[in-house]
Amino acid sequence: MYFPRGPRSSHSPRGRRGLRSFRPRRPRVLAFLCLAPLLAGCFASSGSGGGDGEDKASGAGGGSRLRVALAFPPTENLSPYGADATILSRLGVTEGLTALDGNGSAVPALAASWRREDDRTWLFTLREAVFQDGTDVTPAAVAASLARAGEARPAPAALAGVTLTAKAAGGAGVRITTAAPDPVLPLRLSSPSLVVLSPKAYGNRNGNGNGNGKKDAVDPVGTATGPFEITRVAGTGAAGLDRFDDYWGGRAQASGIDVRFVADGAARANALRTGQVDIAEAIPVAQAATLDAGTRRETATTRTTSLHLNASSGVFKDPALRAAARAAVDASVLAEGVYEGHADAAAGIYGPAVTWAQGKRVRPAGRARAVAPGGASVTLATYDNRPELPEVAQVLKQQLEKAGFKVKLEVREYSRVESDALAGRFDAFVGARNSLLDTGDPVSVLAGDFTCDGGYNLARLCDPDVDRAVGKAQAAADADKRQDAAMAAEAVILGTDAVVPLVHQRIITGVAAKVGGVLPDPYERTLVGAGTRR
């Protein structure tokens, strides 16, 4: 299912709005957390004490603080318009009008219901909710948030090829009009990049918070709507969150979250194994066996690891050499060797977690004939936040060299490689991408990653046939026909050999035995929520 069957109502309790004016607000002064590079001691909460090593309850209502290790540090000052968006959603900070359920359908979040008024207009009815700065979530505030997302540059991937206008409609309504018919708008609005923040989140922050004095800054600190609010930030190393007691869905069971950004996968696994953290995301497959079986959670995802070949410049501007690189790759070696069976050899852009894709897959056609590389020199890059990727890149290096390429390998931390990759400074790039992360719509990832105007086009692909195929898929309103058109577009993209899908991943999350209510999902948008506890 891709569309709600008429208006949906929420089953969650409303916040206690009548009490909030009597509750003193916590100060929003940002304080540094532990800056030591070692993990030990960096996860003690402000509410901890005593000599037993256990976090005591913090704040009224009790509940221990959660200690979480994430793989990717903020790269854009926690702006929701780029890669940091999922940090905010996974920690239960931000929300949009809608969310995705386990089947990939749009369900209510800040919008309690919605209906389509005509082919370009939708009316969303808001639930009663409060921002973390104590102000009401109003139609005007929602419209302003969506307007700011539309003005962001580069545009969020969820808005690739889409222009929308949002206006208040009465006391609880938001009317959203798109320039062209958009049959998946409720899915699109579930994107972590299209979250709703209070008016205080926008504009010049005068050097305080995440805005750094920039006129167009967006600061989610204390301005979101989720069950947890950011109260402390230590650059790209750590952050502290406290429970937001006026959350519309009911008070969180944990009193807060102490977050550490740990790029090294072995260090994340060790922190879980030694009891320094309660939750560790993206456990490397090489470390999985070191954890007790009861602390490993494996989830099939819509994430695919792919080799992107720079189609705009350098060696791989030649389609025949792209075809030679594709022919050199043996993905089965990666699935069984590097991923130790925790991944499947890729069938295409969409993997097994996209349950309908296999039955609709179209064979690529029109591929160039491969030619001998003749010792052509290429630079292959990747990042080490996902620890399997450097090993994947090393195997690919060997396979490409066997085929006749000369390969230089570069491995960096993600925040230090993304801009160069998007700018086309490498001949080839290995990345792991969740195909349904941005919108839940299978077409949106194609528009964002492979069209001339795509905002995350690692392959630097600009092909009129691809743009036409993706445009046809974007225009399809019926869910079944949209899936068919998406698979036809996938075939056209694969026919360019600008992207070579390698493996479809499963993620391993480390969860301490005493922790419950963790929210791993195929779309990798959630991890901690109001019901997460220890």
Side-chain angles (χ1 to χ4, degrees):
M1 278 297 296
Y2 280 90
F3 313 105
R5 301 177 181 176
R8 300 173 184 258
S9 60
S10 170
H11 299 290
S12 300
R14 296 170 181 258
R16 301 176 313 285
R17 295 179 56 151
L19 298 179
R20 74 173 185 277
S21 61
F22 298 97
R23 183 171 67 87
R25 300 296 300 164
R26 290 188 292 276
R28 296 254 173 337
V29 177
L30 298 181
F32 284 100
L33 294 181
C34 174
L35 294 176
L38 298 177
L39 285 171
C42 289
F43 292 91
S45 76
S46 59
S48 64
D52 58 4
E54 291 293 322
D55 288 349
K56 292 183 178 179
S58 174
S64 297
R65 293 179 68 84
L66 296 165
R67 301 164 300 168
V68 177
L70 298 184
F72 291 87
T75 60
E76 298 167 337
N77 293 316
L78 290 176
S79 167
Y81 301 147
D84 293 355
T86 52
I87 294 176
L88 299 171
S89 69
R90 287 169 69 75
L91 292 174
V93 175
T94 54
E95 300 174 301
L97 289 178
T98 63
L100 290 183
D101 67 10
N103 296 319
S105 298
V107 295
L110 290 176
S113 63
W114 55 86
R115 61 185 174 88
R116 195 173 189 180
E117 295 184 320
D118 58 46
D119 64 346
R120 296 192 303 114
T121 308
W122 298 73
L123 180 65
F124 291 80
T125 301
L126 303 181
R127 69 172 73 254
E128 188 177 331
V130 184
F131 288 114
Q132 292 165 354
D133 61 11
T135 60
D136 292 340
V137 176
T138 65
V142 172
S145 284
L146 293 176
R148 286 300 296 264
E151 295 167 359
R153 293 295 178 270
L159 293 180
V162 175
T163 301
L164 59 80
T165 302
K167 295 183 179 179
V174 179
R175 182 168 283 109
I176 301 178
T177 303
T178 55
D182 186 11
V184 295
L185 184 64
L187 280 178
R188 191 178 305 282
L189 294 175
S190 72
S191 168
S193 292
L194 301 183
V195 295
V196 176
L197 302 175
S198 82
K200 293 181 181 179
Y202 308 103
N204 195 327
R205 312 308 292 172
N206 297 317
N208 296 319
N210 295 318
N212 296 325
K214 295 182 180 180
K215 187 176 181 180
D216 60 349
V218 181
D219 188 356
V221 176
T223 60
T225 60
F228 296 101
E229 60 177 310
I230 301 170
T231 55
R232 300 177 298 282
V233 175
T236 61
L241 289 71
D242 288 347
R243 175 172 54 208
F244 175 48
D245 289 338
D246 284 345
Y247 178 54
W248 61 265
R251 289 175 59 177
Q253 294 191 38
S255 61
I257 308 172
D258 294 313
V259 184
R260 183 78 175 174
F261 300 102
V262 184
D264 184 85
R268 290 195 302 277
N270 185 61
L272 181 81
R273 190 168 51 248
T274 58
Q276 296 176 58
V277 300
D278 304 306
I279 303 169
E281 73 166 358
I283 297 295
V285 295
Q287 297 291 323
T290 69
L291 302 180
D292 293 337
T295 64
R296 298 194 304 264
R297 310 282 179 87
E298 186 166 327
T299 307
T301 74
T302 55
R303 179 173 296 278
T304 298
T305 296
S306 300
L307 172 64
H308 300 266
L309 303 177
N310 186 341
S312 70
S313 63
V315 170
F316 292 124
K317 187 175 181 179
D318 184 347
L321 288 173
R322 295 200 301 268
R326 184 254 309 159
V329 171
D330 181 358
S332 65
V333 173
L334 303 174
E336 294 303 320
V338 176
Y339 287 90
E340 300 180 14
H342 294 285
D344 303 295
I349 294 171
Y350 309 105
V354 185
T355 54
W356 49 264
Q358 184 57 40
K360 295 175 177 284
R361 183 151 276 124
V362 178
R363 188 178 183 85
R367 280 175 159 156
R369 179 174 295 181
V371 298
S377 296
V378 298
T379 300
L380 171 64
T382 192
Y383 47 96
D384 56 10
N385 302 74
R386 296 188 180 277
E388 295 81 17
L389 294 187
E391 190 174 350
V392 167
Q394 184 62 46
V395 172
L396 292 177
K397 179 178 184 292
Q398 296 169 358
Q399 292 179 347
L400 291 171
E401 288 175 339
K402 184 177 181 180
F405 291 95
K406 293 181 179 178
V407 183
K408 175 186 176 183
L409 181 60
E410 286 195 26
V411 179
R412 305 180 197 166
E413 198 271 337
Y414 184 80
S415 64
R416 295 185 175 130
V417 75
E418 181 192 56
S419 60
D420 282 348
L422 291 172
R425 296 192 177 99
F426 307 117
D427 297 296
F429 188 80
V430 179
R433 179 82 156 120
N434 192 316
S435 59
L436 297 184
L437 173 65
D438 294 320
T439 65
D441 171 32
V443 180
S444 294
V445 70
L446 304 183
D449 290 17
F450 303 109
T451 64
C452 294
D453 295 329
Y456 197 69
N457 193 339
L458 291 168
R460 308 280 291 176
L461 180 64
C462 187
D463 184 295
D465 291 337
V466 169
D467 280 20
R468 277 192 293 271
V470 173
K472 183 177 179 180
Q474 288 176 313
D478 176 78
D480 193 58
K481 292 180 179 178
R482 193 174 183 88
Q483 293 171 359
D484 290 338
M487 298 312 296
E490 179 198 62
V492 176
I493 293 166
L494 295 179
T496 69
D497 286 326
V499 60
V500 183
L502 301 173
V503 295
H504 303 303
Q505 290 182 238
R506 303 171 213 148
I507 55 170
I508 303 171
T509 305
V511 181
K514 59 187 175 182
V515 174
V518 176
L519 304 172
D521 75 296
Y523 316 106
E524 300 180 80
R525 296 178 173 194
T526 62
L527 181 64
V528 176
T532 311
R533 64 203 175 276
R534 74 180 183 95

